[in-house]
Amino acid sequence: MCGIVGYVGREKVKDLLVDGLSRLEYRGYDSAGFALYPKDDTANFVVRRCVGVVAELRKATQDVGQTETQGIAHTRWATHGVPNEVNAHPHLTGLTVLVHNGIIENHAHLRSAFQEQGVAFHSQTDTEVFARLIESNREWHVQKEKEASGKDFLDLPTERKRDIVLEALRQSMRQVDGHYAILFMVKGLPGYLFGVQSGAPMVVGRTPHGSLIASDLHALIRHTREVSFVPHGAIVEASAEGYRYIDPASGKASTPKFETINWSAQEVEKEGYEHFMLKEIHQQPLVVADTLSGRLPQEAGDPFIWDHPKAHEVLWKNCKKVYLVACGTAYYAAMVGKYFLERWARIPVEVDLASEFRYRSPILEPGTVLGVISQSGETADTLAALRLANEMGVTTFSVCNVPGSTIMRESSFQYPTKAGPEIGVASTKAFTAQLVVLAALAQDIARLRGFKADPAPFARLPHDMEQILARAQSYMDLGARLADKKTILFVGRGAMYPLALEGALKLKEISYRHAEGYAAGELKHGPIALVDERLATIVLGPSDDLLPKTLSNLEEIRSRKGYIIGIGEESNKNFKALCDEYIGMPATDWALAPLLYVLPLQLISYGLAKHLECDIDKPRNLAKSVTVE
Ligand code: AGP
């Protein structure tokens, strides 16, 4: 995710923009920039961009911004193109300067079409392509106008210039695929900002001195509580006097309805959620869509789209064995990844805890590829494992969530997750993003190795996740009811076994209550001695070929008066009849079940921790990134 801010009014704009960016920094912070509309219309836009956090931008631009009162700004979380100054926003093309949050899925196609016309691009971003598209459509209309009236764009009346820009924008929206929010300005049209909300959030704020637009409330709430959330698909035109929404299909304009937001600034950071963790749990459908966006093939059998397609193909056609190494939640994602790679791509996979791996003198034969999985990209144990593999001459890859992090930089190949910054210490959205990257990678490797790959089930993932999250309150209430249990056992088979481990970790981390994850088949080898009415067992049972065995394990618990919470398909009446409480889930493909079944586990833990009044976002003794051994 990236953050965008814009303002047009009577106040000096630069500090407003930079302050706004600093409130959006949680959305992305690998580079930042702004463009100011000059007071003297004959001068150029004042554009400043720099790598690093927003504070770097503030430091580097003390020399500008004393007079301007209109501008746009951006803080980046790289999706296309490495984090550097060239790829930082805003992007200036002709008379148009633009900032963007989201993904233009057909940017490569548009880029090559422009390049065939001799257009040169300066960055690797999809954003620059979008700016070029708007500019070239504007130029086309200007050319028509010139043929009709003999006038250049800058000689036209303001009204006519606005119409041309809006026409060019509507045309561009029809030509792009993807989900995005953009803001832009056009030289020769002082006093106007233009924007579109098409699948990425945007909110406008009304102040006594001008109009403020941003990705979300963070950047507005200090200036105004009078806001309007830009509807999906709408064009927004802002001036110092106010706003218009324009329907791109009909071109009809309407005036936004404003509402008063009664949130404290602190609450705004959580966008109304009580904790970052709860917000991040609810972000997961969008995160999965973002992480898959631009990667899924159009047709089954087509290649997935990665950043380094040729080298990717050579790597995986020659790979003989995979190691997946990580810590904590990322390690459980690696365990699920093993099922994907072995079942689809028929590659042998070893999964190892990073803190163990390098101390057991691992034997890495030729043809081995080692992957590390890490949300932060800075975990000391995981980084050390990566460095050992690099020293041993093994090709490495990372599934990591922070662009520019050490692990990302030091791995040979990168398959990034796109979860945006994860603030809650307990990992949630990064985990599901890791699973979806591993599943997509395994599908593509299967294709490369001549096996069947069918990415179709991925498409409905965000929808199914939304359906489950709609029942969040009931899962949180169930979690609170576990407060009187002495310990909670999580059990599952197959890919549900790592889920059981993850569910236990979530509960321990944030509620400080004891929990344990176990392979369901292991119960009779010891843990069943724990079972009595004060022990609750959460049984993970999607309707796969392992379910009958899981149900017989469940009977073993029942016969010893254990309290059973089942999580299985809604329609599975006989599973439900064996449980004291039951969470019904949608029918799904075995591989996607982990992405769905983890959602109630996260919310059960959250509900118990909230009931116990724990510090959910910053649990005691823990750190978001363990950068020491
Ligand atoms: C997960 O909820 C914990 N915060 C912890 O186990 C975490 O997954 C582990 O420290 C690995 O962190 P990383 O993904 O940033 O490498």
Side-chain angles (χ1 to χ4, degrees):
M1 297 183 288
C2 302
I4 58 180
V5 187
Y7 173 80
V8 52
R10 292 178 288 282
E11 295 281 297
K12 282 201 193 129
V13 69
K14 187 209 140 184
D15 289 342
L16 261 173
L17 294 176
V18 177
D19 288 349
L21 289 185
S22 63
R23 311 287 169 208
L24 296 178
E25 207 155 25
Y26 79 93
R27 301 175 66 87
Y29 38 80
D30 58 45
S31 56
F34 59 67
L36 312 180
Y37 200 109
K39 271 304 194 198
D40 165 4
D41 205 354
T42 60
N44 293 327
F45 287 124
V46 178
V47 181
R48 292 285 192 281
R49 310 181 302 184
C50 76
V51 179
V53 293
V54 173
E56 301 296 325
L57 179 69
R58 196 189 298 273
K59 223 167 20 191
T61 60
Q62 308 285 352
D63 60 322
V64 294
Q66 276 68 38
T67 57
E68 294 79 7
T69 61
Q70 174 185 340
I72 56 178
H74 182 274
T75 182
R76 185 166 183 244
W77 194 78
T79 55
H80 292 80
V82 295
N84 61 18
E85 194 274 336
V86 168
N87 289 330
H89 304 202
H91 287 279
L92 175 62
T93 307
L95 299 182
T96 299
V97 67
L98 180 140
V99 291
H100 159 230
N101 169 33
I103 290 180
I104 305 303
E105 306 209 353
N106 61 332
H107 74 97
H109 168 72
L110 293 168
R111 177 186 285 261
S112 48
F114 279 123
Q115 284 168 330
E116 279 159 25
Q117 297 164 27
V119 172
F121 287 91
H122 311 293
S123 77
Q124 304 155 296
T125 66
D126 54 348
T127 306
E128 187 186 359
V129 174
F130 204 165
R132 163 52 58 191
L133 184 64
I134 293 171
E135 183 60 8
S136 68
N137 286 328
R138 187 191 62 78
E139 287 166 349
W140 184 86
H141 285 280
V142 170
Q143 187 50 39
K144 289 284 166 241
E145 179 67 34
K146 182 143 177 114
E147 287 159 12
S149 68
K151 286 190 177 160
D152 284 329
F153 181 70
L154 297 178
D155 302 329
L156 295 170
T158 299
E159 211 47 40
R160 183 69 194 115
K161 284 189 274 191
R162 283 166 63 189
D163 290 348
I164 285 178
V165 168
L166 289 169
E167 198 35 54
L169 177 56
R170 292 169 64 194
Q171 202 172 332
S172 306
M173 289 172 72
R174 292 191 290 269
Q175 292 168 280
V176 296
D177 298 330
H179 62 278
Y180 57 86
I182 58 168
L183 275 180
F184 66 95
M185 303 187 288
V186 179
K187 204 69 182 52
L189 257 177
Y192 289 95
L193 294 186
F194 301 95
V196 175
Q197 194 281 50
S198 183
M202 184 184 277
V203 56
V204 298
R206 191 165 51 186
T207 78
H209 49 74
S211 301
L212 203 50
I213 307 181
S215 297
D216 56 41
L217 288 168
H218 299 63
L220 305 186
I221 203 74
R222 282 161 190 70
H223 303 281
T224 179
R225 294 179 189 285
E226 298 299 306
V227 302
S228 166
F229 292 90
V230 182
H232 187 293
I235 291 172
V236 56
E237 179 196 81
S239 67
E241 290 65 45
Y243 299 90
R244 294 195 303 162
Y245 286 158
I246 292 131
D247 169 21
S250 65
K252 277 202 177 10
S254 60
T255 307
K257 287 184 184 46
F258 283 82
E259 57 185 279
T260 303
I261 294 288
N262 292 313
W263 278 353
S264 70
Q266 174 64 5
E267 281 166 332
V268 160
E269 298 227 325
K270 302 184 183 84
E271 288 175 14
Y273 289 104
E274 194 172 348
H275 296 100
F276 281 112
M277 181 181 177
L278 188 60
K279 173 180 160 187
E280 287 154 14
I281 288 171
H282 284 278
Q283 283 179 321
Q284 291 178 100
L286 179 65
V287 160
V288 162
D290 269 353
T291 298
L292 283 173
S293 178
R295 285 175 161 156
L296 284 179
Q298 299 298 333
E299 302 292 329
D302 287 352
F304 281 66
I305 298 131
W306 306 108
D307 292 343
H308 27 64
K310 281 278 160 281
H312 161 87
E313 195 160 322
V314 170
L315 174 70
W316 294 110
K317 275 188 170 164
N318 297 302
C319 171
K320 303 246 178 329
K321 177 170 185 176
V322 174
Y323 271 81
L324 294 175
V325 180
C327 300
T329 289
Y331 171 70
Y332 303 141
M335 288 176 71
V336 178
K338 173 183 169 81
Y339 287 95
F340 295 154
L341 283 162
E342 291 192 341
R343 198 174 294 186
W344 284 330
R346 307 307 298 155
I347 292 186
V349 177
E350 272 203 51
V351 181
D352 223 327
L353 284 169
S355 53
E356 291 295 316
F357 175 74
R358 70 187 187 288
Y359 297 117
R360 61 176 185 78
S361 317
I363 301 160
L364 304 182
E365 303 92 344
T368 297
V369 174
L370 184 134
V372 290
I373 300 171
S374 174
Q375 189 288 127
S376 62
E378 302 299 345
T379 300
D381 287 319
T382 309
L383 178 57
L386 172 68
R387 285 176 172 165
L388 174 61
N390 284 336
E391 280 155 28
M392 293 172 74
V394 168
T395 306
T396 57
F397 70 92
S398 60
V399 176
C400 182
N401 195 44
V402 177
S405 61
T406 310
I407 283 175
M408 208 129 163
R409 278 184 287 108
E410 296 191 12
S411 48
S412 329
F413 287 79
Q414 297 79 28
Y415 297 97
T417 51
K418 299 178 182 171
E422 186 177 65
I423 298 167
V425 165
S427 188
T428 51
K429 63 177 183 173
F431 177 69
T432 42
Q434 287 159 1
L435 293 184
V436 88
V437 168
L438 289 165
L441 183 58
Q443 282 264 330
D444 201 39
I445 296 168
R447 175 190 65 81
L448 284 170
R449 298 165 68 91
F451 295 104
K452 184 174 169 313
D454 176 15
F458 290 102
R460 55 171 302 109
L461 250 183
H463 168 270
D464 286 352
M465 295 173 90
E466 290 285 8
Q467 303 300 308
I468 294 164
L469 291 172
R471 300 195 290 265
Q473 192 54 54
S474 63
Y475 308 144
M476 292 194 279
D477 296 345
L478 193 164
R481 292 198 292 274
L482 297 177
D484 64 344
K485 298 297 176 194
K486 74 180 175 194
T487 192
I488 319 287
L489 213 48
F490 293 75
V491 298
R493 283 175 178 264
M496 287 292 122
Y497 166 39
L499 255 274
L501 297 171
E502 168 59 9
L505 176 63
K506 284 286 103 40
L507 194 127
K508 280 182 275 195
E509 271 191 290
I510 61 175
S511 75
Y512 314 150
R513 287 295 180 85
H514 182 248
E516 204 160 347
Y518 248 90
E522 275 295 291
L523 282 173
K524 52 190 166 305
H525 299 286
I528 200 154
L530 290 169
V531 175
D532 61 25
E533 56 280 353
R534 289 201 57 226
L535 175 117
T537 302
I538 297 180
V539 181
L540 300 167
S543 297
D544 55 23
D545 51 7
L546 295 169
L547 183 61
K549 299 188 187 329
T550 304
L551 295 186
S552 60
N553 301 138
L554 188 157
E555 293 279 8
E556 293 156 14
I557 301 167
R558 239 165 88 82
S559 56
R560 292 162 177 84
K561 299 193 180 30
Y563 187 79
I564 296 170
I565 296 160
I567 306 183
E569 259 179 47
E570 187 64 56
S571 58
N572 194 331
K573 301 293 173 241
N574 77 317
F575 183 6
K576 191 171 186 175
L578 294 171
C579 301
D580 299 288
E581 305 210 45
Y582 190 75
I583 293 177
M585 303 288 280
T588 186
D589 182 281
W590 73 270
L592 303 184
L595 284 122
L596 302 183
Y597 282 59
V598 73
L599 301 176
L601 300 185
Q602 294 166 347
L603 289 158
I604 285 168
S605 300
Y606 178 87
L608 176 59
K610 186 155 179 285
H611 176 77
L612 298 171
E613 296 178 352
C614 297
D615 182 350
I616 290 173
D617 283 332
K618 295 189 178 63
R620 68 185 182 197
N621 314 337
L622 297 181
K624 183 58 188 167
S625 174
V626 182
T627 54
V628 292
E629 278 204 45

